[in-house]
Amino acid sequence: MGLAGIGRPLSFHRDRNSSQDMAENAKSGDSKIADAQRLMYQGDFEGAIDRLSDQLDPTSPDIEALYLTAVCHRYLKQHDQALELVQQLKQIVPDFGRALQEEGHVFRDSGQMDRALEAYRRACQSNPALHASWNSQAKILASQGNLEASAAAKAQADRLNSLPKELVAVTHLMHEGKILKAESLCRNFLIVNKTHVEGMRLLAEIGVRLGVMEDAEFLLESALEFEPANIQVRIDYVQVLRKRQKFKAALEQAKHLYDTDPSSPVFQSLYAIEAMQTGDYEQAFDLFDKVLEKLPDDPSTLTSRGHALKTVGRHDDAIKSYQSAFAVDPGFGDAYYGLANLKTYRFSDAELKQMHEQLEHDRLTYLNQVHVCFALGKAHEDRGEYEKSFKFYEEGNGLKRTQSRYEAKVMTAEFDAQIEHCDRDLFAKHAGAGCAAKDPIFVVGLPRAGSTLIEQILASHSQIDGTLELPNILTLSHQLRGRKLESGKSEYPRVLRELTAKQLSDMGQDYIDSTAIHRQGAAYFVDKMPNNFRHIGLIHLILPNAKIIDARREPMACCFSGFKQLFAEGQEFTYGLHEVGSYYRDYVGLMEHWEEVLPGRILRVQHEDVLDDLEGQVARILDYVGVPFEQACVEFHKTKRAVRTASSEQVRQPINKSAVDQWRNFEPWLDPLKEALGPTREQYR
């Protein structure tokens, strides 16, 4: 099989990465950095510090200069100065593996072996290509008599030694956020070593980080043909299939691993997660229990089990599972956030104190910091301590922004392209084309705007299946996007004008066929991927009879609710008040365009209207869909079904208006949001 993607870049749609890598290239060639490295090699660490000094501007210090200066201070045995610089690095780039490794070296050299071991472990979590950190762990663990763990760390170091140096460099670059450099180096390596499985796996991982899932899937599928017994490749393949919501295929691959060794906790856990994705929760719970029989104190499994229990509505059991996870590991942030994300849970004084202590000790990994910050935001909000609450929401969002490539102006340009190309002439040209199926009901809008409530109302009807936030339309838009043109613009949505009637029909039918796995046999089904509002033109062209519901919420409430929600992935526009406000403003503008060029085709449902007049709005929604009124839709909270979004607990309760004005408690800190919204704040209806 040929290898798709090796001869062309995966990252054709990423503007910001290109500019980042240009900046990185400029920095890497900086003569002062090069001079300092030469002086360090010669043992002149004081000279190197002097050469780097003007690169340490407190307002915008050079990351590499900070790191090298810290190394120099360590070699000069100036441990306090070294740790001070490492702390600066961690504040700027919380997940910088080399900074954590340097912290480990300083603690080791000052005789603090337990702290050194902890720092080395965190370094390897942030960047698994840090050979020195694996080796140092092995030595410390051996000295402490933990020979099994020492051997495992030594095996990781030996594995790195066995890899081609180019692939070790690719891993370093990837984990330091230099994605384009990593991609270029990996691609050049594969041009010479076309069937190198680890190279293919790494290029697939780069594809995942860039959101190019189709190429990543194909690379991993090809790698498995060369090495069917490669466990890591198959695990990565399962995870990519899951991200693409190919749940049946992911389950088959997970079962393949499980069947090779049913006693493996790793395979049991992976199989449990995939069983859960396909709705087989009993199988998932059975597998989680098997893992916990062997590893009763595994916080990851206890937390995953908590997520599954939450999804099926076993609220009390979910709480116990989350609490067990952080009882074992007080720094396991996902368990705290799991409780916060129940929305109805209130943290005890002891739990609140424990979360604060974890942050203050400065020993949490980047992701654990993020989870704990968002959990503390919720905990203090529930206590009416709004200034403290906002501080932690802002801190959590700030941490997320350090790893985000989102730019508001890029998204605005995408919205503008939809308005430019998807005009009345386009829809007139393709009138009568597309797949005639009437099955899909698309619920679109912003997250936290009431879409889960609308889906729950619809899914309570005997003729309508609830499903998931299906990625199929987004995937199709990426496929149509193609390579970027010299102007920097992508082919999509311009290419929509060039598609034939057969192509549009085939795309619509493929959507119907590929989503069938999520249905239970009803005449209609709901696809509640909120971001589909950006592709309503595409949806109408391929499925002209589909229903589209715009779930809209008052902008301050909607945007702030998004800001304080930690999403599993995507929705990067929510990690800043300005960003989420700009996105909402652009969303309203784009929806006005769709309503103008597709008059009468979209039903707008205002969240506040649903809260004020549930029965009237339910009747209106069902009339639009074309199904008879059923009382079960008004009593939606009684419907038993798995709900995987952040609102899962809320839609299992009757209508509650308590959240309508919650944002007002934080109004003193929301000026950036108001400014970004502009006139849309009053004109959103």
Side-chain angles (χ1 to χ4, degrees), residues 159 195-205 216-241 253-254 256-257 267 270:
R159 176 182 172 276
T195 60
H196 197 287
V197 167
E198 181 63 11
M200 295 164 68
R201 190 190 73 79
L202 286 172
L203 187 58
E205 186 173 344
E217 178 186 343
F218 188 83
L219 282 162
L220 293 168
E221 184 181 355
S222 302
L224 280 175
E225 289 196 5
F226 294 123
E227 287 187 17
N230 190 308
I231 290 172
Q232 189 59 56
V233 170
R234 198 172 294 274
I235 289 173
D236 288 2
Y237 187 43
V238 170
Q239 292 170 342
V240 167
L241 289 169
Q253 293 296 325
H256 174 92
L257 285 170
F267 298 162
L270 189 65

Side-chain angles (χ1 to χ4, degrees), residues 225-276:
E225 289 196 5
F226 294 123
E227 287 187 17
N230 190 308
I231 290 172
Q232 189 59 56
V233 170
R234 198 172 294 274
I235 289 173
D236 288 2
Y237 187 43
V238 170
Q239 292 170 342
V240 167
L241 289 169
R242 185 197 312 145
K243 285 177 181 291
R244 298 199 70 199
Q245 297 203 2
K246 294 186 174 183
F247 296 129
K248 184 178 179 182
L251 182 68
E252 289 170 356
Q253 293 296 325
K255 189 174 188 304
H256 174 92
L257 285 170
Y258 175 75
D259 288 343
T260 63
D261 184 3
S263 64
S264 164
V266 173
F267 298 162
Q268 290 169 343
S269 181
L270 189 65
Y271 190 22
I273 290 168
E274 303 317 317
M276 186 169 66

Side-chain angles (χ1 to χ4, degrees), residues 12-15 18 410 413 417 420-421 481-494:
F12 52 83
H13 62 286
R14 292 290 187 177
D15 287 332
S18 299
V410 174
E420 178 185 354
H421 294 290
R481 199 177 294 268
R483 312 297 167 266
K484 280 202 167 181
L485 306 175
E486 289 183 8
S487 64
K489 296 180 180 178
S490 74
E491 295 177 3
Y492 174 78
R494 178 191 58 79

Side-chain angles (χ1 to χ4, degrees), residues 637-657:
H637 55 282
K638 298 180 181 178
T639 300
K640 302 295 183 184
R641 57 182 287 264
V643 182
R644 303 187 193 183
T645 67
S647 304
S648 60
E649 290 305 303
Q650 291 159 309
V651 298
R652 292 190 176 107
Q653 302 170 12
I655 285 289
N656 186 334
K657 298 183 181 182

Side-chain angles (χ1 to χ4, degrees), residues 558-573:
C558 182
C559 292
F560 186 66
S561 184
F563 178 78
K564 65 181 187 174
Q565 177 67 46
L566 176 59
F567 293 95
E569 60 183 357
Q571 317 299 15
E572 293 187 15
F573 61 87

Side-chain angles (χ1 to χ4, degrees), residues 430-450:
H430 291 304
C435 173
K438 299 180 179 180
D439 314 22
I441 306 166
F442 292 92
V443 179
V444 304
L446 263 68
R448 313 297 298 147

Side-chain angles (χ1 to χ4, degrees), residues 166-211:
E166 296 94 335
L167 296 187
V168 176
V170 166
T171 308
H172 273 300
L173 290 166
M174 186 166 53
H175 286 89
E176 291 193 359
K178 300 170 184 176
I179 301 297
L180 284 193
K181 282 187 177 182
E183 182 191 359
S184 177
L185 182 57
C186 193
R187 190 175 305 287
N188 289 336
F189 175 83
L190 283 169
I191 288 171
V192 179
N193 305 274
K194 290 182 170 55
T195 60
H196 197 287
V197 167
E198 181 63 11
M200 295 164 68
R201 190 190 73 79
L202 286 172
L203 187 58
E205 186 173 344
I206 291 166
V208 169
R209 288 169 183 254
L210 292 170

Side-chain angles (χ1 to χ4, degrees), residues 314-383:
R314 291 170 58 182
H315 181 273
D316 293 342
D317 291 335
I319 289 173
K320 291 176 185 175
S321 203
Y322 291 135
Q323 289 173 329
S324 297
F326 60 68
V328 171
D329 180 357
F332 201 77
D334 194 14
Y336 296 111
Y337 188 68
L339 286 175
N341 208 28
L342 287 170
K343 308 303 182 190
T344 55
Y345 184 78
R346 299 294 180 265
F347 287 99
S348 68
D349 291 346
E351 290 166 342
L352 184 66
K353 180 183 177 185
Q354 184 165 281
M355 285 190 284
H356 276 288
E357 287 174 347
Q358 291 303 310
L359 270 187
E360 289 162 6
H361 287 166
D362 189 35
R363 297 182 186 180
L364 295 178
T365 64
Y366 163 78
L367 198 53
N368 282 328
Q369 287 180 60
V370 171
H371 282 125
V372 170
C373 282
F374 275 92
L376 280 169
K378 178 67 166 60
H380 285 293
E381 181 180 3
D382 289 340
R383 291 166 178 247

